[in-house]
Amino acid sequence: MMELDNTSLASRLGLCFRSMNISQDRKIIASPWFSTIFGTVGLSSNLFALCVLISSSRKMHSRSRSSFLVFLCGLVVTDFMGLLVTGSIIISYHFTKFDWMEVDPSCYLCNFLGFSMVFFGQCPLLLGATMAGERFFGINRPFSRSGNMSKHRAWAMVGMVWGFSFFLGLLPLLGLGEYSLQYPSSWCFITLLHDINNKVFCMIFALLGILSVGLSFIFNIVSVVTLCRVYHDRESAQRRRDSEVEMMVQLVGIMVIATVCWLPLLIFIIQTVLQEPHTGLLPRQIPRKTENLLLIYLRMVTWNQILDPWVYILFRRAVLKRIYPSFNSRQSIVSLYPVFNPSLRRKFTQESVEQ
C-alpha cells in the first residue's frame, strides 16, 4: 500500500522522481567528509594544473605546443568546473540529507544536476578526441592548416566542443529522454528506462562517448607510430622532437585514464537499455542491482576529473629531470620514456624538421 501511495505521489511531482527513488532506504553510502575531501583534492589538483599551464603558455613560442596547451587548459577548466558544480550539490545533500520532493518538487535542481553530469562528462571525452586529432594532423600533416593551429583557432575548437556538449545536455529538457534522481538520492543522471525516448538518448550518450575514446585511440596510435618512424639523432631537431614526444606521452596518459574510467559506464548503459525489461517492478522503476552498479561506475568516472591534471603535472620535462637527476640538457627526452627507445632510430622526415 505504501509503494502505491509513493507511486501516486511520484506521478504528481516532476518526472525526475521515480518509484525506486521515493521508496528506497536512505542508508549512508559514503561519509560526507570523504566526499568533501575527495572533491577538495580534485579541485586543488585542477587549480594547480591550471596555474602551471598558464605559466607554461606564457613562455611557449612553438605554435603546435601552444595550441596543445590551449586544449589542455580547456580540459582542466572543464574538469574543475565539473567538480565544483556537481560536487557542491552532491556534498550538500550528504551533509543535510534534504528531501528532494520538498526542496525541488518541479525538478529544476535535479534537471540542472543531470544536465551538468552529461555536459561535464561528455566534454573531456570530446576534448580528448579533439586533442588527439590535432596532434595527428600536426605530426602526420605538418604543412596542412590543421597541422598549424593558432591559439585563437584552438580556443574556437574548445568552444565548439563546449557548445556541442551543451546542446547534448539540453536534449532531455527538450523531450528526448529525461533526468531522474539516482540511488542513493544524492545525484541526478540520465534515466535507464526502456521507453523509446530514454533508450535513444542513453544510446546517443554512450555511443558518442565510445566513439570519442575510439577516435582518441586510433589517432594516438598512428601518431606514436609516426614519431617512432621519423626519429633521428640530429641535434638541430632535438628540441622539437622532445616537445612532440612530451605531448604524445601526456595525450596517451589522458586517453588511458578516460578509457579506464569511462568505458565501464558507457558499456553498462548500452547493455542496460538493450536488455529485456525486468518483470515485477513498479512503473518507472529500475532494479536495485542496476542502480548499485550505476553508482559504482559513476564513482569510477569521477576519478577521471581528478587524475587528468596530474598527467600534465607529472609528465613534464621539468619534473622528469628532477626525478632523473642524471638527465642533462643534451640528452633526448625519449630516454625518460623507455617504451619509445627500441624503435626511435630512423631518420626524421624533412617536413617535420622544417616546420
Side-chain angles (χ1 to χ4, degrees), residues 299-318:
R299 287 175 172 172
M300 292 178 61
V301 166
T302 306
W303 278 101
N304 183 76
Q305 297 172 309
I306 296 176
L307 296 177
D308 269 348
W310 289 103
V311 172
Y312 176 72
I313 293 172
L314 296 178
F315 290 96
R316 292 180 298 126
R317 279 174 287 180

Side-chain angles (χ1 to χ4, degrees), residues 54-69:
I54 293 175
S55 176
S56 299
S57 64
R58 290 175 178 174
K59 304 174 184 177
M60 186 58 57
H61 300 290
S62 169
R63 171 172 285 195
S64 62
R65 183 63 179 170
S66 296
S67 62
F68 184 78
L69 291 179

